[in-house]
């Protein structure tokens, strides 16, 4: 019987075989009848079920067709909207906060008149002349590069005398791969999503063949991300303006001033040209002007407070985003305190302390006693040898003597190692992850002074 | 520095390649095959898919239903909706046909028809604009004259393909003779054109090829090797350009197809491979196969390779030296000399009739500077255009007004301006020098601002770096060490020091100016810092001698380092 059962288990395969062979034995046919429920599972029968007319139940939009429509640009992605209305800003502080938000673009950009004019003249000249060209804009983050360029383009769009142009905006950071730039450009020109090879071919045809389309102004943000080893994407983007009879004006933006010389190949640099513009970091006066222009209509900020923020930020980076963030944080703090309707210097100080803090000292103070002792031992070892890098065995020896000095009972090296790994997890020290034995290398990640400061304050 | 290391690496590779030549020869084919196979099936599928896909049948049936019986509302609505969305996109036989004909000649005619439509429209627009401009100029002749003169000069100095190439007569003649000689003999040959960027390699070849006596006799193919997907994809590109119907499955097949085509009887071929150094692979198999084609019997092929490196063929293709018929002819485009650049400028400005915009001495200055630095004509033209833009900008400073003011200004400012600018300004030495300084100085942008823009903390970081480089024994500077010295200095100067996380951000901000370089991957504290400028340049950029001297004199801040 057991044999029979095992034979029954094999039935479906046998059935198939027997079907394919025209001569079927009686036995197998019998089995087939008894086990009919197995039959639909075979691949062949599955195909049969698929081909049966099922149109009545099928929905009109299969996922595939939705994807296709998306790629063709017939449907656009939409976001779910809120069910409730956003309340309007009631207090002056709230109004100030919304106006201070980084995404709130003001009508005019203060302190960037010269650069604005430079870009405007360049673009206008190119559009009037009917030739393509390139421009390279550099500057540290938060100095208004992209904002200036977009506002110039917005203005050029409204001018009637100039020919109409298409505007393409590519950001290197938004692309998964440099070559996806082709897809993005093509998508913005025609609303269609196609693979990058096809997009490259089509773009090449559009920009190099002699046909007259509308001129295109292309803004390429974060140029350094698009640089690969071959640099083919950057080369092509900068080569099209020189070849095309159609107009293509490329404006490239990056942070590094000497990027063309440092990173790009000589032939790419040659095509990029010498039309360059550098956005300098904002000075404290300019930052003050920016913040006060944002705050027009609200009396919620003390002028001295604004000046403090401007000076603090200008001394470090000159980043306008940072200044606005600090102001917003200060407004939030003032709002929480309720009785104040004006942001004072105290609030600003609080916000500055929150944003520019030194968490290491606090972290060291909150360490366990063993961890503190370990840190002390590391510092002592560094002082003794004068070399920054120490090994665990040396530190442990130092730890033993430290403990003896304080009259504490010594732990085993395993426990010490555990404490060490905890310290390295919160990045107070850096350890070699590869070898975890006594020869593990240890580097202090905070300055020696910070350790002394943290431990001394506590003892007093 | 980088170039030296690169070249040395290449040498190493070369030697290795020499050693491995025998062992590799079998494996190269396999490699290309493997690489090719991953790419080509896609192509194949694409080419074969549209006619075979199930959609046409489906859509047909739906349309048939619609035609025969407009009975059931839901169905009708569905079909209508899809057609309303986008007529082109909905899958009807006609749309499919459109998609099919993307690369076929049929589509071309359609496109050209559309383009011509478009063309005419734009032409109309252009003429309208021109009329507007001329109308406007009628009322203010002087202004418009100056304006158009600048514009003409700017247009004349474009860096697109020029129609004539002064200063390249010899090279063009040589190339022409080479191509024409081979055309008359019906023999095949190869030439390698080298030269630094912006010396007119592609432009001169373009001008030769467009000439009727060559273009009529030969089938030309121009491939820019940066525009293809990878080095191995060059064969499939060639097939596409040759209009051969059959597509191979892999790159190896494509190579066979191309070689078969070359064996067959065909029109003379002129293949131009621009930026040919992009085809370099590890064992140079592609470059070797391509350069071997001209020596094959019946190939009737003229091969022109263009690249920047002077010795690409000698360096990467040493085996071609072994047989004389394989060795490509060499042609070098030297950087433009001062006289040649002046000639280019004068000829271009003369043809536009605006030679008087530049004074001769300004031209000499510009040409001399560019020729001494790079000899790159693109740069020279760029600077020329910059100079004109510079003057143009200074003339109409009023550009920066808000839009509503702008229109008013335009009407108002005619009267006072005409008197001042009765004579058009010419480009003088002064403007050229200022633009040149702007372009070629390292501290370019820091000099021309009267206001200091360097943040204080960044100044202190640079000063502490200078102090360490000058006084410390150990010149191996990491961010951690620098931060220690910096915080000590800050304490002495009674300033608030930033903490370490912020400090590495500060360093990267300084790095964007090109003053220092931060290298290293893992821990920010262990990154190495090196100064890229020399002391005088840094001092000029900082513009704060007092602070610098105070910091640099104080050695106690160094501590034990």
């Amino acid at each position: 019987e057991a044999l029979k059962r095992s034979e029954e288990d094999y039935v479906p395969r046998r059935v198939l075989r027997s079907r394919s062979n025209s001569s079927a034995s009686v036995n197998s046919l019998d089995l087939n009848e008894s086990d009919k429920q197995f039959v639909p599972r075979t691949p062949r029968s599955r195909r049969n079920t698929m081909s049966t007319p099922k149109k009545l139940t099928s929905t009109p939009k299969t996922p595939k067709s939705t994807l296709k429509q998306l790629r063709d640009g017939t449907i656009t992605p939409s976001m779910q909207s809120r069910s409730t209305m956003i309340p309007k800003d009631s207090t002056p502080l709230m109004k100030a906060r919304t106006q201070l938000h980084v995404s709130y673009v003001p009508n005019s950009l203060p302190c960037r008149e010269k650069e604005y004019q430079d870009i405007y003249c360049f673009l206008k000249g190119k559009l009037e002349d009917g030739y393509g060209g390139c421009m390279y804009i550099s500057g540290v983050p938060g100095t208004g590069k992209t904002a200036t360029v977009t506002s110039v383009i917005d203005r050029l769009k409204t001018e009637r005398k100039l020919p109409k142009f298409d505007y393409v905006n590519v950001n290197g950071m938004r692309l998964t791969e440099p070559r996806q730039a082709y897809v993005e450009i093509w998508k913005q020109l025609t609303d269609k999503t196609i693979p990058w090879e096809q997009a490259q071919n089509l773009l090449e045809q559009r920009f190099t063949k002699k046909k007259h389309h509308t001129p295109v102004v292309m803004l390429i943000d974060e140029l350094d991300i698009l640089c690969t080893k071959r640099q083919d994407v950057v080369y092509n983007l900068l080569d099209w303006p020189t070849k095309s009879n159609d107009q293509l004006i490329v404006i490239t933006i990056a942070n590094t001033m000497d990027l063309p010389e440092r990173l790009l190949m000589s032939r790419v640099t040659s095509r990029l040209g010498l039309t360059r513009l550098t956005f300098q970091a904002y000075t404290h006066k300019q930052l003050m002007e920016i913040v006060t222009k944002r705050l027009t209509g609200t009396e919620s900020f003390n002028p001295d407070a604004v000046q403090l923020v401007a000076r603090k930020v200008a001394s470090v980076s000159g980043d306008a985003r940072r200044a606005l963030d600090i102001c917003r944080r200060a407004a939030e703090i003032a709002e929480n305190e309720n009785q104040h309707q004006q942001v004072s210097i105290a609030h600003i100080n609080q916000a500055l302390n929150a944003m520019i803090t030194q968490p290491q000292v606090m972290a060291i103070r909150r360490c366990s006693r063993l961890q503190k002792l370990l840190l002390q031992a590391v510092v002592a070892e560094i002082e003794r040898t004068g070399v920054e890098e120490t090994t665990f065995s040396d530190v442990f020896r130092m730890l033993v003597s430290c403990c003896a000095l304080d009259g504490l009972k010594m732990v085993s090296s395993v426990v010490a190692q555990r404490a060490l790994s905890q310290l390295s997890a919160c990045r107070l020290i850096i350890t070699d992850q590869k070898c975890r034995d006594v020869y593990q290398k240890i580097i202090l990640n905070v300055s020696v002074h910070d350790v002394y400061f943290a431990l001394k304050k506590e003892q007093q | 520095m980088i170039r030296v290391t690169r070249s040395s690496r290449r040498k190493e590779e070369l030697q290795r390649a020499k050693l491995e030549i025998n062992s590799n020869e079998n494996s190269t084919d396999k490699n290309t095959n493997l690489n090719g196979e991953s790419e080509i099936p896609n192509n194949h599928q694409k080419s074969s898919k549209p006619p075979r896909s199930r959609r046409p049948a489906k859509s047909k049936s739906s349309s048939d239903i619609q035609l025969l019986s407009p009975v059931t509302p839901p169905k009708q609505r569905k079909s209508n909706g899809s057609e309303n969305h986008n007529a082109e996109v909905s899958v009807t036989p006609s749309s499919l046909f459109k998609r099919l004909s993307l690369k076929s000649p049929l589509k071309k005619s359609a496109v050209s028809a559309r383009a011509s439509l478009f063309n005419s429209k734009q032409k109309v627009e252009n003429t309208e604009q021109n009329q507007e401009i001329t109308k406007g100029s009628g009322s203010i002749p002087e202004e418009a004259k100056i304006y158009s003169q600048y514009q003409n000069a700017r247009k004349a100095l474009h860096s697109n393909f020029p129609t004539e190439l002064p200063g390249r007569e010899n090279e063009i003649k040589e190339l022409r003779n080479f191509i024409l000689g081979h055309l008359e003999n019906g023999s095949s040959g190869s030439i390698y054109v080298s030269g630094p960027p912006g010396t007119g390699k592609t432009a001169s070849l373009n001008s030769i090829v467009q000439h009727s006596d060559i273009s009529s006799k030969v089938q030309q193919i121009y491939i820019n090797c940066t525009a293809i997907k990878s080095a191995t994809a060059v064969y499939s590109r060639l097939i596409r350009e040759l209009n051969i119907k059959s597509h191979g499955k892999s790159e190896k097949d494509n190579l066979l197809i191309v070689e078969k085509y070359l064996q067959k009887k065909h029109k003379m071929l002129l293949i131009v491979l621009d930026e040919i150094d992009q085809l370099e692979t590890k064992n140079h198999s592609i470059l070797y196969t391509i350069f071997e084609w001209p020596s094959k019997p019946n190939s009737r092929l003229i091969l022109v390779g263009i690249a920047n490196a002077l010795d690409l063929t000698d360096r990467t293709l040493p085996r071609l030296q072994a047989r004389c018929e394989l060795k490509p002819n060499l042609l070098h485009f030297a950087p433009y000399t001062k006289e040649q650049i002046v000639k280019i400028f004068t000829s271009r400005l003369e043809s536009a009739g605006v030679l008087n915009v530049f004074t001769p001495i300004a031209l000499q200055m510009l040409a001399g500077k560019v020729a001494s630095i790079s000899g790159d004509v693109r740069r020279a033209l760029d600077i020329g255009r910059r100079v004109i833009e510079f003057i143009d900008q200074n003339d109409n400073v009023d550009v920066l007004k808000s839009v509503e003011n702008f229109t008013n200004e335009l009407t108002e400012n005619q009267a006072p301006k005409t008197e001042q600018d009765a004579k058009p300004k010419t480009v003088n030495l002064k403007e050229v020098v200022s633009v040149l300084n702007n372009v070629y100085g390292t501290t370019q942008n820091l000099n021309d601002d009267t206001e200091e823009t360097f943040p204080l903390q960044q100044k202190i970081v640079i000063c502490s770096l200078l102090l360490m480089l000058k006084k410390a024994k150990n010149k191996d500077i990491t961010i951690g060490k620098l931060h220690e010295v910096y915080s000590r200095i800050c304490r002495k100067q009674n300033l608030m020091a930033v903490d370490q996380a912020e400090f590495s951000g500060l360093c990267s901000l300084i790095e964007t100016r090109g003053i220092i370089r931060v290298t290293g991957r893992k821990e920010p504290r262990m990154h190495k810092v090196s100064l890229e400028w020399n002391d005088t340049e840094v001092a000029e950029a900082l513009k704060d001698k007092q602070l610098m001297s105070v910091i640099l004199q104080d050695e106690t801040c160094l501590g034990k380092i």
Side-chain angles (χ1 to χ4, degrees):
Chain A
E1 274 204 18
L3 265 172
K4 251 193 181 175
R5 264 189 196 165
S6 69
E7 269 185 12
E8 276 178 8
D9 284 343
Y10 285 118
V11 161
R13 283 189 111 181
R14 259 202 188 174
V15 169
L16 269 179
R17 261 182 216 159
S18 64
R19 266 188 190 172
S20 61
N21 295 339
S22 56
S23 61
S25 65
V26 183
N27 248 341
S28 67
L29 268 174
D30 284 344
L31 282 167
N32 187 17
E33 276 177 7
S34 66
D35 293 311
K36 252 183 184 172
Q37 69 267 31
F38 287 114
V39 175
R41 280 190 200 164
T42 55
R44 199 172 162 190
S45 61
R46 195 178 289 167
R47 208 178 299 146
N48 284 337
T49 53
M50 276 298 283
S51 67
T52 52
K54 259 191 169 182
K55 273 173 188 170
L56 289 173
T57 53
S58 69
T59 49
K61 277 184 190 173
T62 56
K64 205 177 173 186
S65 77
T66 328
L67 265 179
K68 197 166 152 286
Q69 277 176 318
L70 259 178
R71 279 193 214 109
D72 289 341
T74 45
I75 52 173
T76 50
S78 62
M79 296 281 288
Q80 200 176 359
S81 56
R82 266 173 218 263
S83 53
T84 54
M85 291 284 283
I86 308 168
K88 285 206 168 180
D89 303 328
S90 50
T91 61
L93 266 178
M94 275 171 87
K95 197 187 168 195
R97 250 184 345 140
T98 50
Q99 285 187 8
L100 282 172
H101 199 275
V102 181
S103 64
Y104 179 89
V105 179
N107 310 334
S108 65
L109 291 161
C111 312
R112 285 289 175 230
E113 287 84 12
K114 196 169 158 281
E115 285 83 0
Y116 184 94
Q117 191 191 340
D118 227 354
I119 298 168
Y120 178 80
C121 284
F122 173 81
L123 278 177
K124 199 178 163 209
K126 288 284 175 213
L127 283 172
E128 279 170 352
D129 294 354
Y131 279 107
C134 307
M135 186 180 204
Y136 177 70
I137 298 171
S138 66
V140 288
T143 48
K145 301 183 290 293
T146 314
T148 312
V149 173
T150 44
S151 70
V152 167
I153 283 165
D154 283 344
R155 159 125 179 245
L156 285 172
K157 269 182 185 164
T158 58
E159 268 180 39
R160 278 168 294 138
K161 277 192 175 180
L162 292 173
K164 279 231 159 65
F165 61 89
D166 289 334
Y167 169 57
V168 176
N169 179 6
V170 181
N171 191 330
M173 287 294 249
R174 294 214 189 104
L175 306 172
T176 51
E177 199 210 11
R179 280 156 168 178
Q180 291 296 315
Y182 301 128
V183 179
E184 185 66 31
I185 293 165
W186 188 251
K187 194 181 171 189
Q188 291 189 22
L189 284 175
T190 62
D191 281 341
K192 282 178 186 157
T193 311
I194 48 176
W196 69 264
E197 288 171 276
Q198 212 179 338
Q200 184 191 7
N201 286 330
L202 288 170
L203 281 172
E204 206 179 319
Q205 275 171 22
R206 189 191 192 284
F207 288 129
T208 56
K209 296 279 156 56
K210 291 183 182 178
K211 275 168 206 160
H212 290 279
H213 299 276
T214 44
V216 177
V217 176
M218 200 189 286
L219 170 66
I220 297 169
D221 219 337
E222 315 284 356
L223 180 74
D224 41 347
I225 308 291
L226 293 181
C227 296
T228 50
K229 203 181 153 203
R230 267 184 90 201
Q231 305 195 347
D232 51 341
V233 178
V234 188
Y235 177 91
N236 280 328
L237 289 179
L238 297 177
D239 195 35
W240 289 331
T242 62
K243 280 194 177 153
S244 61
N245 295 36
D246 285 343
Q247 241 180 306
L248 174 64
I249 305 163
V250 181
I251 298 179
T252 52
I253 297 181
N255 286 343
T256 322
M257 274 181 203
D258 52 349
L259 181 89
E261 280 75 29
R262 190 191 283 187
L263 206 66
L264 298 175
M265 285 190 222
S266 64
R267 54 169 177 246
V268 181
T269 310
S270 170
R271 278 169 177 78
L272 184 59
L274 293 165
T275 315
R276 295 185 191 168
L277 185 66
T278 308
F279 278 65
Q280 293 296 338
Y282 287 113
T283 60
H284 70 89
K285 278 178 200 158
Q286 288 172 331
L287 282 176
M288 257 183 84
E289 198 182 327
I290 289 166
V291 174
T292 42
K293 276 233 170 136
R294 289 266 181 140
L295 290 170
T296 44
T298 58
E299 299 267 312
S300 49
F301 267 72
N302 191 350
D304 291 343
V306 175
Q307 190 170 11
L308 178 67
V309 173
R311 280 187 185 273
K312 278 276 179 195
V313 173
S315 80
V316 177
S317 58
D319 186 342
R321 282 185 211 132
R322 180 122 208 190
L324 294 173
D325 273 348
I326 292 172
C327 286
R328 232 154 44 85
R329 180 81 195 115
E332 274 168 17
I333 291 167
E335 213 170 347
N336 283 348
E337 284 183 8
N338 257 342
Q339 70 266 35
H340 297 283
Q341 278 309 312
Q342 200 180 31
V343 179
S344 64
I345 287 187
H347 297 130
I348 294 284
N349 261 331
Q350 218 172 323
L352 277 173
N353 283 337
M355 288 193 114
I356 311 171
T357 50
Q358 300 192 319
Q360 286 101 333
V361 176
M362 280 315 284
I364 293 170
R365 271 183 208 161
R366 297 276 160 83
C367 280
S368 69
R369 190 191 277 172
L370 177 61
Q371 285 169 345
K372 276 178 194 166
L373 279 170
L374 254 172
L375 274 176
Q376 250 175 333
V378 172
V379 169
E381 191 61 32
I382 287 169
E383 302 264 286
R384 189 176 70 85
T385 55
V387 187
E388 257 186 80
E389 205 177 78
T390 57
T391 58
F392 178 71
S393 60
D394 293 339
V395 169
F396 188 69
R397 207 175 301 138
M398 192 58 88
L399 184 68
V400 170
S401 53
C402 278
C403 285
L405 217 68
D406 289 358
L408 296 169
K409 198 183 168 194
M410 191 49 218
V411 293
S412 71
S413 74
V414 178
V415 179
Q417 196 127 36
R418 202 181 297 146
L420 197 73
S421 71
Q422 278 165 359
L423 280 178
S424 98
C426 63
R427 311 302 284 165
L428 286 173
I429 57 171
I430 299 164
T431 52
D432 193 0
Q433 294 298 321
K434 281 174 199 161
C435 92
R436 294 176 173 280
D437 51 5
V438 287
Y439 300 110
Q440 189 174 26
K441 279 167 187 159
I442 298 171
I443 301 166
L444 198 65
N445 199 21
V446 291
S447 67
V448 177
H449 178 78
D450 281 347
V451 179
Y452 278 136
F453 181 74
L455 296 179
K456 207 175 275 174
K457 271 282 175 70
E458 195 200 38
Q459 282 166 8
Q460 282 170 359
Chain B
M1 282 291 286
I2 296 165
R3 269 178 205 160
V4 170
T5 51
R6 239 185 234 164
S7 65
S8 65
R9 208 182 301 151
R10 272 183 190 154
K11 268 179 195 167
E12 282 177 19
E13 276 181 9
L14 242 180
Q15 284 174 350
R16 218 179 300 147
K18 269 182 190 169
L19 286 174
E20 290 174 1
I21 273 168
N22 293 327
S23 60
N24 268 0
E25 246 168 357
N26 293 328
S27 63
T28 58
D29 293 347
K30 275 177 196 168
N31 274 338
T32 51
N33 190 8
L34 277 175
N35 289 337
E37 268 183 344
S38 61
E39 292 148 8
I40 284 313
N42 276 334
N43 264 339
H44 191 66
Q45 276 177 10
K46 259 177 231 157
S47 61
S48 64
K49 210 173 184 180
R52 230 193 272 163
S53 64
R54 252 186 255 157
R55 276 174 214 140
K58 210 176 179 182
S59 62
K60 233 183 203 173
S61 67
S62 69
S63 63
D64 282 346
I65 287 166
Q66 199 196 335
L67 280 173
L68 289 172
S69 57
V71 191
T72 47
K75 268 182 190 172
Q76 199 179 12
R77 205 188 298 146
K78 186 176 128 196
S79 60
N80 274 344
S82 67
E83 263 169 38
N84 279 343
H85 264 305
N86 189 343
E88 273 190 52
V89 175
S90 67
V91 192
T92 58
S94 64
S95 77
L96 252 172
F97 184 65
K98 267 179 195 168
R99 209 185 306 149
L100 240 177
S101 55
L102 240 173
K103 281 169 193 170
S104 71
L106 266 174
K107 172 82 183 187
K108 255 182 196 171
S109 65
V111 164
S112 66
R114 214 187 298 159
S116 66
L117 264 176
F118 200 66
N119 247 340
S120 62
K121 251 187 201 172
Q122 195 155 38
K123 266 177 197 166
V124 169
E125 276 175 16
N126 278 336
T127 48
E128 274 175 7
Q129 276 162 15
N130 286 336
Q131 279 169 359
E132 271 179 24
I133 288 168
T134 46
K135 271 178 197 169
S137 66
S139 58
I140 11 163
E142 297 286 344
E143 272 244 329
K145 196 180 157 198
I146 299 161
Y147 174 71
S148 66
Q149 202 160 23
Y150 287 143
Q151 198 182 9
N152 282 343
R154 243 181 336 185
K155 272 187 182 177
L157 297 179
H158 66 89
S159 47
N160 288 14
F161 280 152
T163 45
E164 52 187 65
L165 290 139
R168 284 286 171 237
E169 290 87 6
N170 292 336
E171 282 87 353
I172 287 177
K173 208 173 146 195
E174 204 174 317
L175 258 177
R176 256 181 80 83
N177 288 343
F178 175 81
I179 293 173
L180 280 177
H182 279 289
L183 273 182
E184 279 163 20
N185 293 343
S187 60
S188 42
S190 59
I191 190 166
Y192 172 67
V193 180
S194 66
T199 48
K201 301 179 293 295
T202 312
S204 35
L205 206 80
N206 201 36
S207 76
I208 291 170
V209 159
Q210 275 176 1
H211 222 272
S212 59
D213 55 344
I214 289 179
S215 59
S216 58
K217 284 178 199 165
V218 79
Q219 186 186 359
Q220 352 165 335
I221 294 171
Y222 174 86
I223 297 178
N224 194 329
C225 295
T226 45
I228 54 178
K229 185 170 65 176
S230 66
T232 44
V234 72
Y235 303 127
S236 56
R237 183 66 184 266
L238 261 174
I239 285 175
R240 215 174 72 201
E241 298 277 337
L242 283 168
N243 284 332
I244 305 174
K245 287 277 163 57
S246 56
H247 283 278
K249 274 183 184 172
S250 68
E251 285 301 332
K252 202 178 174 187
D253 292 349
N254 284 334
L255 172 62
L256 286 176
I257 289 169
V258 173
E259 286 185 341
K260 207 185 259 176
Y261 180 83
L262 288 177
Q263 298 295 326
K264 275 191 296 183
K265 218 176 183 184
H266 59 85
K267 210 179 169 188
M268 198 78 182
L269 263 180
L270 173 67
I271 299 182
V272 181
L273 296 172
D274 206 345
E275 312 290 359
I276 203 171
D277 51 347
Q278 292 280 346
L279 293 184
E280 266 184 72
T281 47
K282 251 183 190 170
N283 45 33
H284 311 300
S285 60
I286 295 164
L287 277 178
Y288 271 123
T289 31
I290 287 175
F291 271 102
E292 273 164 15
W293 285 341
S295 68
K296 292 205 168 166
N298 303 329
S299 63
R300 289 161 61 78
L301 161 77
I302 303 172
L303 183 72
V304 184
I306 304 178
N308 292 337
L310 181 63
D311 56 343
L312 181 94
T313 49
D314 301 341
R315 189 158 37 85
T316 61
L317 309 170
R319 278 187 284 164
L320 292 182
Q321 306 286 337
R323 281 162 63 196
C324 272
E325 74 269 19
L326 284 178
K327 214 166 90 180
N329 296 32
L330 298 180
L331 179 63
H332 185 63
F333 276 61
Y336 282 106
T337 59
K338 186 179 165 186
E339 288 76 31
Q340 283 170 330
I341 292 178
V342 171
K343 218 198 275 178
I344 290 169
F345 266 79
T346 45
S347 81
R348 282 206 180 187
L349 291 174
E350 224 166 341
S351 62
V354 283
L355 190 58
N356 53 347
V357 170
F358 275 85
T359 57
I361 192 160
L363 260 186
Q364 292 282 336
M365 175 74 198
L366 201 163
K369 187 84 176 177
V370 173
S372 69
I373 290 175
S374 57
D376 180 347
V377 79
R378 269 196 213 114
R379 298 207 143 185
L381 291 171
D382 218 16
I383 293 170
R385 259 178 292 146
R386 281 298 280 173
V387 172
I388 295 165
E389 269 167 28
F390 184 69
I391 292 179
D392 210 7
Q393 224 176 80
N394 287 357
D395 277 3
N396 41 17
V397 189
D398 313 318
V399 168
L400 194 87
K401 303 279 175 193
S402 58
V403 183
E404 60 267 29
N405 285 344
F406 190 73
T407 47
N408 294 336
E409 291 268 327
L410 261 181
T411 51
E412 281 172 12
N413 67 2
Q414 295 160 10
K417 260 209 165 178
T418 41
E419 265 182 47
Q420 289 173 3
D421 298 330
K423 216 174 72 183
K425 260 195 205 166
T426 53
V427 174
N428 242 322
L429 195 59
K430 204 182 93 190
E431 283 94 23
V432 171
V433 168
S434 71
V435 168
L436 280 175
N437 282 344
N438 227 332
V439 163
Y440 281 117
T442 39
T443 54
Q444 32 168 329
N445 307 297
L446 303 167
N447 278 335
D448 52 32
D449 283 323
T450 47
E451 224 173 337
E452 58 168 280
T453 52
F454 227 105
L456 181 69
Q457 300 281 355
Q458 295 184 15
K459 275 186 199 171
I460 295 173
V461 173
I462 293 171
C463 287
S464 43
L465 182 65
L466 274 179
L467 174 72
M468 285 176 82
L469 281 173
K470 273 190 177 167
K471 300 285 167 64
K473 288 168 234 160
N474 191 359
K475 309 282 184 196
D476 191 33
I477 298 167
T478 59
I479 282 196
K481 278 181 188 170
L482 186 63
H483 181 241
E484 248 162 66
V485 174
Y486 156 83
S487 48
R488 254 185 232 119
I489 289 172
C490 277
R491 224 170 296 141
K492 277 218 167 154
Q493 305 288 331
N494 267 333
L495 289 164
M496 208 186 86
V498 298
D499 74 328
Q500 200 179 298
E502 185 98 31
F503 185 76
S504 55
L506 260 184
C507 286
S508 69
L509 282 182
I510 302 170
E511 197 187 7
T512 63
R513 288 174 193 261
I515 300 176
I516 63 171
R517 175 169 285 193
V518 182
T519 47
R521 293 237 172 114
K522 265 189 181 169
E523 301 297 336
R525 196 179 162 79
M526 295 292 116
H527 287 180
K528 272 180 188 145
V529 185
S530 54
L531 194 69
E532 298 279 299
W533 292 5
N534 63 21
D535 302 358
T536 50
E537 277 176 332
V538 172
E540 222 170 275
L542 290 188
K543 278 188 214 150
D544 200 341
K545 290 262 165 65
Q546 206 180 350
L547 181 80
M548 237 176 112
S549 65
V550 166
I551 292 176
L552 288 187
Q553 277 165 12
D554 202 355
E555 273 184 62
T556 51
C557 294
L558 280 176
K560 276 184 188 175
I561 301 160

